[in-house]
Amino acid sequence: MREEPSLTAPDPKTRPGTAVAEMFSAIAATYDLLNHVLSLNMDRHWRNVAVKELAASPSDLVLDLCTGTGDLAFTLVRRSGARAVGADFSRPMMDIASRKARRTGLSLPLAQADALALPFRSGAFDAVMVAFGVRNFEDLGGGLREMARVTKPGGKLAVLEFSSPKDSLFGAVYRVYFTRVLPMVGRLVSGRGGAYAYLPATVADFPAPPAFASRLRQAGFEVKAQRPLTGGIATLHLCQRTGAEPISGFSGTVAP
Ligand SMILES: C[S@@+](CC[C@H](N)C(=O)[O-])C[C@H]1O[C@@H](n2cnc3c(N)ncnc32)[C@H](O)[C@@H]1O
């Protein structure tokens, strides 16, 4: 029988950064496979939508925060031709991103960094994007403020994050899948039970779109649109850094 390693998943209520980094480092080898299998490949579709909506231009410099194995950044580079920089505090996750960059010939400079203290100058990026990362922050407000700091005034932000579908038959079936089936398959494939129980716990703990919109505003972003994806399993939050002329082009509505 496979022995569960001593590593336990961080408590979703406190989630110290180092414990989160260790948890992602421990599942790095099976992360991509499980992502695609457990989401029935919806994760690829969601990243494509995020990149399309961000609509970066080839001259843009874009930060992919919590880049992990780099899939969002590679999608951006392939689809828009923009330059991407990846940042994450888990070296093993980024090692996989580096291997993908070598294999595909796509450029992705990487920085090992905590999202709460980024090693970039203020206003360094035309846009910032983050997929399935902010939910893990030890200090959500601090992380959002840091994202605002490195985005140039008027720059764009795309946050892709899990959310909870509304009460419906679909929502009920999904909840059983997400809280029971997914942790079991995750444990069997990765050998790390905690990480895949941590996922539904952090999603349940994460602010719903209207509350998250207020946190984004407090951090210095104007929320332009919040697009539920696949029945609300995920939500794409599209924002603009305040302090410059408003942009047009983001489609969707913002929850009241
Ligand atoms: C669920 S993975 C998402 C990876 C990638 N964005 C994707 O779409 O597959 C979350 C990533 O966020 C990183 N992360 C979480 N909190 C972080 C923080 N405070 N600073 C830097 N990276 C962080 C983890 O190391 C992990 O690689």
PDB file of all heavy atoms in Angstrom, residues 191-231:
ATOM      1  N   GLY A 191      -0.862  10.333  -4.946  1.00  0.00           N
ATOM      2  CA  GLY A 191      -0.338   9.785  -3.696  1.00  0.00           C
ATOM      3  C   GLY A 191      -0.374  10.805  -2.562  1.00  0.00           C
ATOM      4  O   GLY A 191       0.137  10.562  -1.480  1.00  0.00           O
ATOM      5  N   ARG A 192      -0.953  11.969  -2.811  1.00  0.00           N
ATOM      6  CA  ARG A 192      -1.037  13.029  -1.784  1.00  0.00           C
ATOM      7  C   ARG A 192      -2.500  13.367  -1.555  1.00  0.00           C
ATOM      8  O   ARG A 192      -3.099  14.127  -2.328  1.00  0.00           O
ATOM      9  CB  ARG A 192      -0.318  14.308  -2.240  1.00  0.00           C
ATOM     10  CG  ARG A 192       1.004  14.090  -2.906  1.00  0.00           C
ATOM     11  CD  ARG A 192       2.103  14.025  -1.892  1.00  0.00           C
ATOM     12  NE  ARG A 192       3.251  13.330  -2.460  1.00  0.00           N
ATOM     13  CZ  ARG A 192       4.483  13.433  -2.015  1.00  0.00           C
ATOM     14  NH1 ARG A 192       4.764  14.183  -0.986  1.00  0.00           N
ATOM     15  NH2 ARG A 192       5.446  12.746  -2.566  1.00  0.00           N
ATOM     16  N   GLY A 193      -3.062  12.753  -0.544  1.00  0.00           N
ATOM     17  CA  GLY A 193      -4.487  12.944  -0.305  1.00  0.00           C
ATOM     18  C   GLY A 193      -4.841  14.365   0.053  1.00  0.00           C
ATOM     19  O   GLY A 193      -5.818  14.928  -0.421  1.00  0.00           O
ATOM     20  N   GLY A 194      -3.987  14.984   0.893  1.00  0.00           N
ATOM     21  CA  GLY A 194      -4.305  16.301   1.443  1.00  0.00           C
ATOM     22  C   GLY A 194      -4.534  17.347   0.375  1.00  0.00           C
ATOM     23  O   GLY A 194      -5.450  18.158   0.464  1.00  0.00           O
ATOM     24  N   ALA A 195      -3.696  17.330  -0.669  1.00  0.00           N
ATOM     25  CA  ALA A 195      -3.735  18.398  -1.666  1.00  0.00           C
ATOM     26  C   ALA A 195      -5.085  18.447  -2.362  1.00  0.00           C
ATOM     27  O   ALA A 195      -5.584  19.521  -2.691  1.00  0.00           O
ATOM     28  CB  ALA A 195      -2.628  18.192  -2.689  1.00  0.00           C
ATOM     29  N   TYR A 196      -5.683  17.287  -2.594  1.00  0.00           N
ATOM     30  CA  TYR A 196      -6.935  17.276  -3.349  1.00  0.00           C
ATOM     31  C   TYR A 196      -8.166  17.366  -2.440  1.00  0.00           C
ATOM     32  O   TYR A 196      -9.286  17.481  -2.921  1.00  0.00           O
ATOM     33  CB  TYR A 196      -6.958  16.090  -4.327  1.00  0.00           C
ATOM     34  CG  TYR A 196      -6.003  16.377  -5.465  1.00  0.00           C
ATOM     35  CD1 TYR A 196      -4.658  16.019  -5.388  1.00  0.00           C
ATOM     36  CD2 TYR A 196      -6.436  17.099  -6.573  1.00  0.00           C
ATOM     37  CE1 TYR A 196      -3.764  16.343  -6.405  1.00  0.00           C
ATOM     38  CE2 TYR A 196      -5.552  17.431  -7.587  1.00  0.00           C
ATOM     39  CZ  TYR A 196      -4.223  17.053  -7.502  1.00  0.00           C
ATOM     40  OH  TYR A 196      -3.343  17.399  -8.499  1.00  0.00           O
ATOM     41  N   ALA A 197      -7.957  17.338  -1.142  1.00  0.00           N
ATOM     42  CA  ALA A 197      -9.029  17.684  -0.212  1.00  0.00           C
ATOM     43  C   ALA A 197      -8.960  19.195   0.056  1.00  0.00           C
ATOM     44  O   ALA A 197      -9.972  19.855   0.292  1.00  0.00           O
ATOM     45  CB  ALA A 197      -8.871  16.908   1.086  1.00  0.00           C
ATOM     46  N   TYR A 198      -7.721  19.718  -0.004  1.00  0.00           N
ATOM     47  CA  TYR A 198      -7.490  21.160   0.178  1.00  0.00           C
ATOM     48  C   TYR A 198      -8.214  21.959  -0.908  1.00  0.00           C
ATOM     49  O   TYR A 198      -8.758  23.029  -0.641  1.00  0.00           O
ATOM     50  CB  TYR A 198      -5.971  21.379   0.119  1.00  0.00           C
ATOM     51  CG  TYR A 198      -5.494  22.803  -0.009  1.00  0.00           C
ATOM     52  CD1 TYR A 198      -5.285  23.598   1.128  1.00  0.00           C
ATOM     53  CD2 TYR A 198      -5.202  23.358  -1.252  1.00  0.00           C
ATOM     54  CE1 TYR A 198      -4.811  24.900   1.004  1.00  0.00           C
ATOM     55  CE2 TYR A 198      -4.736  24.650  -1.380  1.00  0.00           C
ATOM     56  CZ  TYR A 198      -4.543  25.412  -0.248  1.00  0.00           C
ATOM     57  OH  TYR A 198      -4.080  26.697  -0.366  1.00  0.00           O
ATOM     58  N   LEU A 199      -8.268  21.407  -2.144  1.00  0.00           N
ATOM     59  CA  LEU A 199      -8.877  22.142  -3.265  1.00  0.00           C
ATOM     60  C   LEU A 199     -10.340  22.524  -2.974  1.00  0.00           C
ATOM     61  O   LEU A 199     -10.664  23.713  -2.946  1.00  0.00           O
ATOM     62  CB  LEU A 199      -8.718  21.327  -4.563  1.00  0.00           C
ATOM     63  CG  LEU A 199      -9.435  21.819  -5.812  1.00  0.00           C
ATOM     64  CD1 LEU A 199      -9.006  23.230  -6.187  1.00  0.00           C
ATOM     65  CD2 LEU A 199      -9.166  20.877  -6.982  1.00  0.00           C
ATOM     66  N   PRO A 200     -11.252  21.544  -2.723  1.00  0.00           N
ATOM     67  CA  PRO A 200     -12.637  21.974  -2.444  1.00  0.00           C
ATOM     68  C   PRO A 200     -12.751  22.832  -1.187  1.00  0.00           C
ATOM     69  O   PRO A 200     -13.600  23.734  -1.126  1.00  0.00           O
ATOM     70  CB  PRO A 200     -13.418  20.663  -2.280  1.00  0.00           C
ATOM     71  CG  PRO A 200     -12.422  19.568  -2.239  1.00  0.00           C
ATOM     72  CD  PRO A 200     -11.127  20.076  -2.801  1.00  0.00           C
ATOM     73  N   ALA A 201     -11.873  22.598  -0.204  1.00  0.00           N
ATOM     74  CA  ALA A 201     -11.958  23.396   1.030  1.00  0.00           C
ATOM     75  C   ALA A 201     -11.627  24.857   0.746  1.00  0.00           C
ATOM     76  O   ALA A 201     -12.289  25.766   1.247  1.00  0.00           O
ATOM     77  CB  ALA A 201     -11.001  22.822   2.086  1.00  0.00           C
ATOM     78  N   THR A 202     -10.617  25.114  -0.096  1.00  0.00           N
ATOM     79  CA  THR A 202     -10.260  26.510  -0.376  1.00  0.00           C
ATOM     80  C   THR A 202     -11.297  27.172  -1.292  1.00  0.00           C
ATOM     81  O   THR A 202     -11.527  28.370  -1.191  1.00  0.00           O
ATOM     82  CB  THR A 202      -8.864  26.633  -1.032  1.00  0.00           C
ATOM     83  OG1 THR A 202      -8.780  25.719  -2.123  1.00  0.00           O
ATOM     84  CG2 THR A 202      -7.748  26.388  -0.045  1.00  0.00           C
ATOM     85  N   VAL A 203     -11.916  26.384  -2.164  1.00  0.00           N
ATOM     86  CA  VAL A 203     -12.945  26.970  -3.038  1.00  0.00           C
ATOM     87  C   VAL A 203     -14.152  27.389  -2.189  1.00  0.00           C
ATOM     88  O   VAL A 203     -14.704  28.484  -2.362  1.00  0.00           O
ATOM     89  CB  VAL A 203     -13.360  25.986  -4.158  1.00  0.00           C
ATOM     90  CG1 VAL A 203     -14.529  26.535  -4.964  1.00  0.00           C
ATOM     91  CG2 VAL A 203     -12.170  25.709  -5.081  1.00  0.00           C
ATOM     92  N   ALA A 204     -14.525  26.532  -1.234  1.00  0.00           N
ATOM     93  CA  ALA A 204     -15.662  26.857  -0.362  1.00  0.00           C
ATOM     94  C   ALA A 204     -15.363  28.115   0.459  1.00  0.00           C
ATOM     95  O   ALA A 204     -16.261  28.898   0.774  1.00  0.00           O
ATOM     96  CB  ALA A 204     -15.948  25.674   0.562  1.00  0.00           C
ATOM     97  N   ASP A 205     -14.097  28.304   0.769  1.00  0.00           N
ATOM     98  CA  ASP A 205     -13.655  29.401   1.622  1.00  0.00           C
ATOM     99  C   ASP A 205     -13.462  30.716   0.851  1.00  0.00           C
ATOM    100  O   ASP A 205     -13.338  31.779   1.442  1.00  0.00           O
ATOM    101  CB  ASP A 205     -12.290  28.945   2.184  1.00  0.00           C
ATOM    102  CG  ASP A 205     -11.933  29.628   3.464  1.00  0.00           C
ATOM    103  OD1 ASP A 205     -12.865  29.991   4.184  1.00  0.00           O
ATOM    104  OD2 ASP A 205     -10.729  29.796   3.734  1.00  0.00           O
ATOM    105  N   PHE A 206     -13.418  30.634  -0.473  1.00  0.00           N
ATOM    106  CA  PHE A 206     -13.074  31.804  -1.301  1.00  0.00           C
ATOM    107  C   PHE A 206     -14.304  32.698  -1.494  1.00  0.00           C
ATOM    108  O   PHE A 206     -15.417  32.198  -1.644  1.00  0.00           O
ATOM    109  CB  PHE A 206     -12.542  31.320  -2.662  1.00  0.00           C
ATOM    110  CG  PHE A 206     -11.918  32.411  -3.472  1.00  0.00           C
ATOM    111  CD1 PHE A 206     -10.704  32.966  -3.077  1.00  0.00           C
ATOM    112  CD2 PHE A 206     -12.534  32.905  -4.607  1.00  0.00           C
ATOM    113  CE1 PHE A 206     -10.117  33.991  -3.807  1.00  0.00           C
ATOM    114  CE2 PHE A 206     -11.959  33.928  -5.345  1.00  0.00           C
ATOM    115  CZ  PHE A 206     -10.742  34.464  -4.940  1.00  0.00           C
ATOM    116  N   PRO A 207     -14.126  34.047  -1.484  1.00  0.00           N
ATOM    117  CA  PRO A 207     -15.288  34.924  -1.648  1.00  0.00           C
ATOM    118  C   PRO A 207     -16.031  34.671  -2.960  1.00  0.00           C
ATOM    119  O   PRO A 207     -15.407  34.430  -3.992  1.00  0.00           O
ATOM    120  CB  PRO A 207     -14.689  36.337  -1.644  1.00  0.00           C
ATOM    121  CG  PRO A 207     -13.245  36.209  -1.333  1.00  0.00           C
ATOM    122  CD  PRO A 207     -12.861  34.769  -1.319  1.00  0.00           C
ATOM    123  N   ALA A 208     -17.358  34.745  -2.901  1.00  0.00           N
ATOM    124  CA  ALA A 208     -18.192  34.636  -4.110  1.00  0.00           C
ATOM    125  C   ALA A 208     -17.916  35.864  -4.990  1.00  0.00           C
ATOM    126  O   ALA A 208     -17.392  36.874  -4.505  1.00  0.00           O
ATOM    127  CB  ALA A 208     -19.658  34.570  -3.703  1.00  0.00           C
ATOM    128  N   PRO A 209     -18.271  35.811  -6.299  1.00  0.00           N
ATOM    129  CA  PRO A 209     -17.907  36.896  -7.217  1.00  0.00           C
ATOM    130  C   PRO A 209     -18.218  38.315  -6.719  1.00  0.00           C
ATOM    131  O   PRO A 209     -17.348  39.198  -6.824  1.00  0.00           O
ATOM    132  CB  PRO A 209     -18.637  36.533  -8.506  1.00  0.00           C
ATOM    133  CG  PRO A 209     -18.631  35.032  -8.491  1.00  0.00           C
ATOM    134  CD  PRO A 209     -18.829  34.646  -7.041  1.00  0.00           C
ATOM    135  N   PRO A 210     -19.406  38.599  -6.133  1.00  0.00           N
ATOM    136  CA  PRO A 210     -19.629  39.988  -5.706  1.00  0.00           C
ATOM    137  C   PRO A 210     -18.640  40.428  -4.613  1.00  0.00           C
ATOM    138  O   PRO A 210     -18.125  41.554  -4.646  1.00  0.00           O
ATOM    139  CB  PRO A 210     -21.060  39.974  -5.143  1.00  0.00           C
ATOM    140  CG  PRO A 210     -21.693  38.746  -5.723  1.00  0.00           C
ATOM    141  CD  PRO A 210     -20.597  37.761  -5.930  1.00  0.00           C
ATOM    142  N   ALA A 211     -18.364  39.530  -3.670  1.00  0.00           N
ATOM    143  CA  ALA A 211     -17.426  39.879  -2.586  1.00  0.00           C
ATOM    144  C   ALA A 211     -16.000  39.980  -3.130  1.00  0.00           C
ATOM    145  O   ALA A 211     -15.217  40.851  -2.718  1.00  0.00           O
ATOM    146  CB  ALA A 211     -17.493  38.825  -1.479  1.00  0.00           C
ATOM    147  N   PHE A 212     -15.664  39.108  -4.088  1.00  0.00           N
ATOM    148  CA  PHE A 212     -14.319  39.182  -4.661  1.00  0.00           C
ATOM    149  C   PHE A 212     -14.155  40.481  -5.459  1.00  0.00           C
ATOM    150  O   PHE A 212     -13.086  41.103  -5.440  1.00  0.00           O
ATOM    151  CB  PHE A 212     -14.039  37.946  -5.528  1.00  0.00           C
ATOM    152  CG  PHE A 212     -12.625  37.881  -6.041  1.00  0.00           C
ATOM    153  CD1 PHE A 212     -11.544  37.972  -5.165  1.00  0.00           C
ATOM    154  CD2 PHE A 212     -12.366  37.729  -7.395  1.00  0.00           C
ATOM    155  CE1 PHE A 212     -10.229  37.921  -5.638  1.00  0.00           C
ATOM    156  CE2 PHE A 212     -11.056  37.673  -7.872  1.00  0.00           C
ATOM    157  CZ  PHE A 212      -9.986  37.772  -6.993  1.00  0.00           C
ATOM    158  N   ALA A 213     -15.246  40.908  -6.122  1.00  0.00           N
ATOM    159  CA  ALA A 213     -15.184  42.181  -6.863  1.00  0.00           C
ATOM    160  C   ALA A 213     -14.854  43.328  -5.903  1.00  0.00           C
ATOM    161  O   ALA A 213     -14.050  44.211  -6.234  1.00  0.00           O
ATOM    162  CB  ALA A 213     -16.504  42.442  -7.587  1.00  0.00           C
ATOM    163  N   SER A 214     -15.444  43.317  -4.691  1.00  0.00           N
ATOM    164  CA  SER A 214     -15.115  44.400  -3.740  1.00  0.00           C
ATOM    165  C   SER A 214     -13.649  44.342  -3.341  1.00  0.00           C
ATOM    166  O   SER A 214     -13.001  45.387  -3.202  1.00  0.00           O
ATOM    167  CB  SER A 214     -15.901  44.335  -2.437  1.00  0.00           C
ATOM    168  OG  SER A 214     -17.137  43.873  -2.615  1.00  0.00           O
ATOM    169  N   ARG A 215     -13.127  43.129  -3.148  1.00  0.00           N
ATOM    170  CA  ARG A 215     -11.712  43.021  -2.757  1.00  0.00           C
ATOM    171  C   ARG A 215     -10.813  43.556  -3.884  1.00  0.00           C
ATOM    172  O   ARG A 215      -9.801  44.207  -3.631  1.00  0.00           O
ATOM    173  CB  ARG A 215     -11.343  41.554  -2.467  1.00  0.00           C
ATOM    174  CG  ARG A 215     -12.208  40.868  -1.412  1.00  0.00           C
ATOM    175  CD  ARG A 215     -12.018  41.483  -0.040  1.00  0.00           C
ATOM    176  NE  ARG A 215     -10.675  41.330   0.475  1.00  0.00           N
ATOM    177  CZ  ARG A 215     -10.252  40.324   1.236  1.00  0.00           C
ATOM    178  NH1 ARG A 215     -11.097  39.374   1.601  1.00  0.00           N
ATOM    179  NH2 ARG A 215      -9.007  40.276   1.682  1.00  0.00           N
ATOM    180  N   LEU A 216     -11.208  43.276  -5.135  1.00  0.00           N
ATOM    181  CA  LEU A 216     -10.416  43.765  -6.271  1.00  0.00           C
ATOM    182  C   LEU A 216     -10.454  45.291  -6.317  1.00  0.00           C
ATOM    183  O   LEU A 216      -9.430  45.944  -6.552  1.00  0.00           O
ATOM    184  CB  LEU A 216     -10.967  43.177  -7.578  1.00  0.00           C
ATOM    185  CG  LEU A 216     -10.649  41.691  -7.809  1.00  0.00           C
ATOM    186  CD1 LEU A 216     -11.591  41.084  -8.848  1.00  0.00           C
ATOM    187  CD2 LEU A 216      -9.198  41.518  -8.278  1.00  0.00           C
ATOM    188  N   ARG A 217     -11.632  45.855  -6.072  1.00  0.00           N
ATOM    189  CA  ARG A 217     -11.760  47.325  -6.093  1.00  0.00           C
ATOM    190  C   ARG A 217     -10.905  47.943  -4.990  1.00  0.00           C
ATOM    191  O   ARG A 217     -10.201  48.919  -5.210  1.00  0.00           O
ATOM    192  CB  ARG A 217     -13.220  47.745  -5.905  1.00  0.00           C
ATOM    193  CG  ARG A 217     -14.046  47.517  -7.143  1.00  0.00           C
ATOM    194  CD  ARG A 217     -15.467  48.073  -6.990  1.00  0.00           C
ATOM    195  NE  ARG A 217     -16.320  47.395  -7.931  1.00  0.00           N
ATOM    196  CZ  ARG A 217     -17.186  46.438  -7.632  1.00  0.00           C
ATOM    197  NH1 ARG A 217     -17.390  46.075  -6.381  1.00  0.00           N
ATOM    198  NH2 ARG A 217     -17.884  45.846  -8.568  1.00  0.00           N
ATOM    199  N   GLN A 218     -10.982  47.345  -3.792  1.00  0.00           N
ATOM    200  CA  GLN A 218     -10.188  47.873  -2.666  1.00  0.00           C
ATOM    201  C   GLN A 218      -8.696  47.863  -2.993  1.00  0.00           C
ATOM    202  O   GLN A 218      -7.938  48.695  -2.513  1.00  0.00           O
ATOM    203  CB  GLN A 218     -10.402  47.019  -1.414  1.00  0.00           C
ATOM    204  CG  GLN A 218     -11.705  47.289  -0.684  1.00  0.00           C
ATOM    205  CD  GLN A 218     -12.069  46.140   0.258  1.00  0.00           C
ATOM    206  OE1 GLN A 218     -11.247  45.297   0.599  1.00  0.00           O
ATOM    207  NE2 GLN A 218     -13.325  46.099   0.659  1.00  0.00           N
ATOM    208  N   ALA A 219      -8.278  46.882  -3.811  1.00  0.00           N
ATOM    209  CA  ALA A 219      -6.847  46.751  -4.122  1.00  0.00           C
ATOM    210  C   ALA A 219      -6.402  47.717  -5.221  1.00  0.00           C
ATOM    211  O   ALA A 219      -5.206  47.889  -5.441  1.00  0.00           O
ATOM    212  CB  ALA A 219      -6.543  45.315  -4.537  1.00  0.00           C
ATOM    213  N   GLY A 220      -7.372  48.349  -5.920  1.00  0.00           N
ATOM    214  CA  GLY A 220      -6.975  49.321  -6.943  1.00  0.00           C
ATOM    215  C   GLY A 220      -7.355  48.930  -8.363  1.00  0.00           C
ATOM    216  O   GLY A 220      -6.771  49.438  -9.323  1.00  0.00           O
ATOM    217  N   PHE A 221      -8.327  48.033  -8.498  1.00  0.00           N
ATOM    218  CA  PHE A 221      -8.774  47.641  -9.838  1.00  0.00           C
ATOM    219  C   PHE A 221     -10.232  48.049 -10.049  1.00  0.00           C
ATOM    220  O   PHE A 221     -11.024  48.013  -9.106  1.00  0.00           O
ATOM    221  CB  PHE A 221      -8.689  46.120 -10.022  1.00  0.00           C
ATOM    222  CG  PHE A 221      -7.274  45.590 -10.063  1.00  0.00           C
ATOM    223  CD1 PHE A 221      -6.730  44.947  -8.958  1.00  0.00           C
ATOM    224  CD2 PHE A 221      -6.500  45.747 -11.210  1.00  0.00           C
ATOM    225  CE1 PHE A 221      -5.428  44.462  -8.993  1.00  0.00           C
ATOM    226  CE2 PHE A 221      -5.199  45.255 -11.253  1.00  0.00           C
ATOM    227  CZ  PHE A 221      -4.664  44.606 -10.141  1.00  0.00           C
ATOM    228  N   GLU A 222     -10.531  48.396 -11.289  1.00  0.00           N
ATOM    229  CA  GLU A 222     -11.932  48.543 -11.661  1.00  0.00           C
ATOM    230  C   GLU A 222     -12.363  47.204 -12.247  1.00  0.00           C
ATOM    231  O   GLU A 222     -11.682  46.661 -13.134  1.00  0.00           O
ATOM    232  CB  GLU A 222     -12.072  49.646 -12.715  1.00  0.00           C
ATOM    233  CG  GLU A 222     -13.497  49.992 -12.985  1.00  0.00           C
ATOM    234  CD  GLU A 222     -13.619  51.091 -14.033  1.00  0.00           C
ATOM    235  OE1 GLU A 222     -12.653  51.861 -14.192  1.00  0.00           O
ATOM    236  OE2 GLU A 222     -14.674  51.143 -14.690  1.00  0.00           O
ATOM    237  N   VAL A 223     -13.465  46.656 -11.743  1.00  0.00           N
ATOM    238  CA  VAL A 223     -13.905  45.350 -12.222  1.00  0.00           C
ATOM    239  C   VAL A 223     -14.801  45.570 -13.436  1.00  0.00           C
ATOM    240  O   VAL A 223     -15.867  46.168 -13.338  1.00  0.00           O
ATOM    241  CB  VAL A 223     -14.648  44.570 -11.115  1.00  0.00           C
ATOM    242  CG1 VAL A 223     -15.021  43.177 -11.603  1.00  0.00           C
ATOM    243  CG2 VAL A 223     -13.771  44.474  -9.864  1.00  0.00           C
ATOM    244  N   LYS A 224     -14.351  45.085 -14.584  1.00  0.00           N
ATOM    245  CA  LYS A 224     -15.066  45.336 -15.843  1.00  0.00           C
ATOM    246  C   LYS A 224     -16.073  44.239 -16.146  1.00  0.00           C
ATOM    247  O   LYS A 224     -17.101  44.500 -16.753  1.00  0.00           O
ATOM    248  CB  LYS A 224     -14.062  45.401 -17.001  1.00  0.00           C
ATOM    249  CG  LYS A 224     -13.086  46.545 -16.908  1.00  0.00           C
ATOM    250  CD  LYS A 224     -13.794  47.810 -17.314  1.00  0.00           C
ATOM    251  CE  LYS A 224     -12.848  48.958 -17.503  1.00  0.00           C
ATOM    252  NZ  LYS A 224     -13.554  50.169 -17.921  1.00  0.00           N
ATOM    253  N   ALA A 225     -15.755  43.005 -15.811  1.00  0.00           N
ATOM    254  CA  ALA A 225     -16.662  41.891 -16.120  1.00  0.00           C
ATOM    255  C   ALA A 225     -16.318  40.688 -15.254  1.00  0.00           C
ATOM    256  O   ALA A 225     -15.158  40.502 -14.874  1.00  0.00           O
ATOM    257  CB  ALA A 225     -16.562  41.518 -17.599  1.00  0.00           C
ATOM    258  N   GLN A 226     -17.337  39.914 -14.944  1.00  0.00           N
ATOM    259  CA  GLN A 226     -17.136  38.634 -14.249  1.00  0.00           C
ATOM    260  C   GLN A 226     -17.907  37.589 -15.041  1.00  0.00           C
ATOM    261  O   GLN A 226     -19.139  37.639 -15.094  1.00  0.00           O
ATOM    262  CB  GLN A 226     -17.633  38.715 -12.809  1.00  0.00           C
ATOM    263  CG  GLN A 226     -16.775  39.656 -11.954  1.00  0.00           C
ATOM    264  CD  GLN A 226     -17.214  39.696 -10.511  1.00  0.00           C
ATOM    265  OE1 GLN A 226     -18.343  40.080 -10.231  1.00  0.00           O
ATOM    266  NE2 GLN A 226     -16.343  39.322  -9.599  1.00  0.00           N
ATOM    267  N   ARG A 227     -17.172  36.697 -15.689  1.00  0.00           N
ATOM    268  CA  ARG A 227     -17.826  35.726 -16.579  1.00  0.00           C
ATOM    269  C   ARG A 227     -17.834  34.349 -15.969  1.00  0.00           C
ATOM    270  O   ARG A 227     -16.779  33.725 -15.800  1.00  0.00           O
ATOM    271  CB  ARG A 227     -17.056  35.653 -17.897  1.00  0.00           C
ATOM    272  CG  ARG A 227     -17.383  36.798 -18.831  1.00  0.00           C
ATOM    273  CD  ARG A 227     -16.844  36.528 -20.213  1.00  0.00           C
ATOM    274  NE  ARG A 227     -17.309  35.274 -20.774  1.00  0.00           N
ATOM    275  CZ  ARG A 227     -16.860  34.745 -21.895  1.00  0.00           C
ATOM    276  NH1 ARG A 227     -15.926  35.355 -22.576  1.00  0.00           N
ATOM    277  NH2 ARG A 227     -17.329  33.610 -22.349  1.00  0.00           N
ATOM    278  N   PRO A 228     -19.026  33.824 -15.602  1.00  0.00           N
ATOM    279  CA  PRO A 228     -19.074  32.449 -15.124  1.00  0.00           C
ATOM    280  C   PRO A 228     -18.760  31.495 -16.275  1.00  0.00           C
ATOM    281  O   PRO A 228     -19.191  31.725 -17.405  1.00  0.00           O
ATOM    282  CB  PRO A 228     -20.524  32.265 -14.662  1.00  0.00           C
ATOM    283  CG  PRO A 228     -21.264  33.486 -15.064  1.00  0.00           C
ATOM    284  CD  PRO A 228     -20.340  34.458 -15.715  1.00  0.00           C
ATOM    285  N   LEU A 229     -17.972  30.468 -16.001  1.00  0.00           N
ATOM    286  CA  LEU A 229     -17.593  29.504 -17.030  1.00  0.00           C
ATOM    287  C   LEU A 229     -18.091  28.127 -16.632  1.00  0.00           C
ATOM    288  O   LEU A 229     -18.016  27.759 -15.447  1.00  0.00           O
ATOM    289  CB  LEU A 229     -16.065  29.473 -17.196  1.00  0.00           C
ATOM    290  CG  LEU A 229     -15.412  30.812 -17.573  1.00  0.00           C
ATOM    291  CD1 LEU A 229     -13.890  30.719 -17.473  1.00  0.00           C
ATOM    292  CD2 LEU A 229     -15.812  31.227 -18.983  1.00  0.00           C
ATOM    293  N   THR A 230     -18.580  27.377 -17.610  1.00  0.00           N
ATOM    294  CA  THR A 230     -19.061  26.013 -17.387  1.00  0.00           C
ATOM    295  C   THR A 230     -20.016  25.952 -16.185  1.00  0.00           C
ATOM    296  O   THR A 230     -19.754  25.273 -15.182  1.00  0.00           O
ATOM    297  CB  THR A 230     -17.873  25.024 -17.210  1.00  0.00           C
ATOM    298  OG1 THR A 230     -16.855  25.337 -18.144  1.00  0.00           O
ATOM    299  CG2 THR A 230     -18.322  23.597 -17.407  1.00  0.00           C
ATOM    300  N   GLY A 231     -21.087  26.692 -16.291  1.00  0.00           N
ATOM    301  CA  GLY A 231     -22.120  26.660 -15.258  1.00  0.00           C
ATOM    302  C   GLY A 231     -21.682  27.258 -13.931  1.00  0.00           C
ATOM    303  O   GLY A 231     -22.307  27.003 -12.900  1.00  0.00           O
TER     304      GLY A 231
END
